[in-house]
Amino acid sequence: MSFDIDVTLRRGDALVATAFVAEEQAVALVGPSGVGKTSVLDMIAGLLRPDRGHVRVGGRVLTDRAARVEVPAHHRRAGYVFQDARLFLHLDVRRNLLYGAKDAARLATIAASLDIAHLLDRWPRALSGGEARRVAIGRALLSDPEFLLLDEPLSSLDALRREEAMRLIERVRDDSGLPLLLVTHDEREAERLCARVVRM
Amino acid sequence: MESVWSIVRLSLLVGGVGTLAVLPVAFLLAYALARGRFPGRTLLDALIHLPLVVPPVVTGWVLLIAFAPAGPIGGPLERWFGVTLLFRWTGAALAAAVMALPLAVRAIRLSLESVDRRLEDAARTLGAGRWRTFRTITLPLCWPGVLAGATLAFARALGEFGATITFVSNVPGETETLPLAIYAALQRPGGEDLVWRLAAISVAISLVALLVSEWLARRAGRGVHVL
């Protein structure tokens, strides 16, 4: 079992709720914008606490409101790739990549596979959107995660870049073998990348 | 009459020690105001700002009452540690620190509020606990604001007059900082020469302090400017 999620969160007037159990390695969470897909990722990563429900990933209980279990975000080992990359602006690319790294020796391999080896000494502000996203993926992978959360990894890319990015995600998915939850509003993208599609 | 050099040295000592003393306190207060949600927050904010709006002489008078040998703070200080701040340069540094506090808190608080919390979230998902997140993300990102706060505090400390002269009086060689020395020289016939020199030195020190903090902020690599 990859993801067993059942969460409810009230944010102001809006209610964010979803429940699914997935056996598949890769799961897509699809829905119109504003429905709270990112909030679901935040709850799985431990950045938001649901009002009710539970989060289990790969059989490990991360949140269980009824049993008062709440593993802190920094112990969850989530490889979270944010939609806005969130690179640390005061650290160069190399130090961004190594921020959560357990094994710095993997830097070269991962940088090569993401085609960012030539960017290591650059600063985040000097990266294009696509480069920043690849660095964010590399940073998440180097942190030795137990599962991957990808928030709209293909948004704001033109058709050519999109195809490239999709191949990259397929490669990350197959090479890492980790449970992967991908948020998107594009059904076609979801169906191509993930064996299971959950609608919100 | 003290030599110009000893006046300058004393001013730098008082301003420097005052700034170093106020920074940790200002940072804690700024952090509480920027991030904390607790009852009495508005009152705390108002209290911190008091030295900015109250006449400095009043602040000096309050310090005098509190730190006098029989005062609520001065009494225990003297009895237990044999320390007195009255008429000493340490008292001048304290007056400077108190007067600089609101400026330092404001600058640091603004920069803390502008730190992108989402970057702290990102650090947490990468395995950084609270302390490491603070040390490696929050603090470096608000560093220019801390430098700005330090610069403002130092400038304020260097120019402090009213609270200082009320609290520790004008003791040449002990509490006679640049502004006090300038004022004293103005009262003396034929003191204009000294006034010119001390005033020029004051301007020069302030200018250098601004340039140094701007350079430090740039070196921090984010192009966040103090000026």
Side-chain angles (χ1 to χ4, degrees):
Chain A
M1 183 169 47
S2 56
F3 294 93
D4 173 0
I5 312 292
D6 181 354
V7 287
T8 310
L9 175 70
R10 181 165 285 288
R11 306 197 80 182
D13 288 340
L15 187 74
V16 177
T18 189
F20 59 90
V21 178
E23 299 295 335
E24 299 81 359
Q25 180 209 346
V27 181
L29 195 56
V30 184
S33 30
V35 77
K37 301 185 297 289
T38 299
S39 296
V40 172
L41 290 190
D42 283 351
M43 286 187 268
I44 297 173
L47 299 175
L48 269 181
R49 184 189 296 187
D51 297 327
R52 273 201 312 277
H54 63 255
V55 172
R56 294 186 199 113
V57 181
R60 185 171 165 230
V61 180
L62 298 177
T63 297
D64 188 337
R65 295 294 284 153
R68 293 173 183 274
V69 175
E70 182 73 24
V71 177
H74 63 282
H75 287 149
R76 292 198 176 202
R77 317 242 326 249
Y80 194 166
V81 181
F82 301 90
Q83 184 175 5
D84 49 357
R86 300 195 195 179
L87 299 182
F88 305 130
L89 301 177
H90 60 299
L91 303 177
D92 61 20
V93 168
R94 181 190 312 273
R95 283 183 294 162
N96 261 283
L97 287 166
L98 290 175
Y99 187 85
K102 307 261 185 313
D103 180 9
R106 290 172 61 216
L107 174 68
T109 322
I110 286 185
S113 80
L114 294 170
D115 190 24
I116 50 175
H118 59 294
L119 303 174
L120 290 181
D121 293 321
R122 296 259 284 271
W123 291 86
R125 283 198 207 284
L127 301 180
S128 72
E131 289 169 339
R133 203 162 304 187
R134 296 207 303 276
V135 173
I137 293 174
R139 184 175 70 175
L141 287 175
L142 272 161
S143 73
D144 199 14
E146 290 186 350
F147 55 98
L148 295 171
L149 304 171
L150 307 183
D151 194 358
E152 298 275 8
L154 303 175
S155 66
S156 71
L157 292 180
D158 57 44
L160 187 69
R161 291 274 163 192
R162 222 176 160 79
E163 180 55 34
E164 247 172 53
M166 271 204 258
R167 284 206 204 105
L168 172 66
I169 292 169
E170 285 171 331
R171 199 143 41 83
V172 167
R173 178 194 68 196
D174 298 338
D175 290 353
S176 71
L178 296 170
L180 180 154
L181 184 62
L182 175 138
V183 154
T184 175
H185 55 267
D186 184 331
E187 296 257 356
R188 276 205 333 235
E189 183 181 307
E191 276 161 17
R192 169 166 162 193
L193 293 171
C194 301
R196 169 80 185 274
V197 176
V198 175
R199 287 179 182 78
M200 264 185 87
Chain B
M1 195 183 82
E2 290 295 315
S3 75
V4 170
W5 169 235
S6 74
I7 293 169
V8 170
R9 200 174 47 183
L10 178 69
S11 282
L12 292 175
L13 180 69
V14 166
V17 169
T19 304
L20 286 180
V22 80
L23 276 184
V25 180
F27 193 92
L28 286 176
L29 289 169
Y31 197 88
L33 290 174
R35 298 283 174 92
R37 295 285 170 270
F38 51 91
R41 191 162 151 270
T42 314
L43 181 66
L44 178 66
D45 198 8
L47 283 175
I48 291 169
H49 278 88
L50 271 185
L52 204 61
V53 289
V54 162
V57 175
V58 174
T59 304
W61 175 70
V62 171
L63 286 173
L64 184 61
I65 291 175
F67 285 90
I73 306 177
L77 266 184
E78 173 127 40
R79 268 200 308 282
W80 298 338
F81 304 105
V83 170
T84 180
L85 300 183
L86 236 54
F87 309 118
R88 304 296 311 275
W89 73 267
T90 44
L94 176 69
V98 169
M99 295 302 293
L101 183 70
L103 294 172
V105 170
R106 281 180 82 89
I108 297 171
R109 177 185 177 176
L110 276 175
S111 71
L112 273 170
E113 282 169 350
S114 72
V115 168
D116 190 347
R117 305 286 297 262
R118 295 172 311 164
L119 294 182
E120 297 176 359
D121 281 349
R124 287 163 63 207
T125 67
L126 291 165
R130 199 179 286 253
W131 170 240
R132 183 171 176 228
T133 303
F134 173 78
R135 201 168 41 79
T136 58
I137 307 295
T138 317
L139 195 56
L141 287 177
C142 75
W143 194 239
V146 175
L147 287 176
T151 311
L152 285 170
F154 183 70
R156 186 72 191 78
L158 210 60
E160 220 306 299
F161 183 82
T164 307
I165 202 162
T166 314
F167 179 34
V168 292
S169 184
N170 186 358
V171 183
E174 186 68 37
T175 68
E176 193 180 58
T177 55
L178 278 164
L180 272 61
I182 291 172
Y183 183 77
L186 274 173
Q187 308 297 309
R188 267 196 309 270
E192 289 82 4
D193 258 13
L194 185 58
V195 172
W196 270 102
R197 271 149 70 201
L198 293 176
I201 291 169
S202 304
V203 172
I205 293 176
S206 307
L207 193 61
V208 169
L210 276 177
L211 292 175
V212 166
S213 82
E214 174 71 5
W215 175 72
L216 284 171
R218 281 207 189 152
R219 218 175 62 125
R222 285 172 300 285
V224 185
H225 301 292
V226 176
L227 289 173

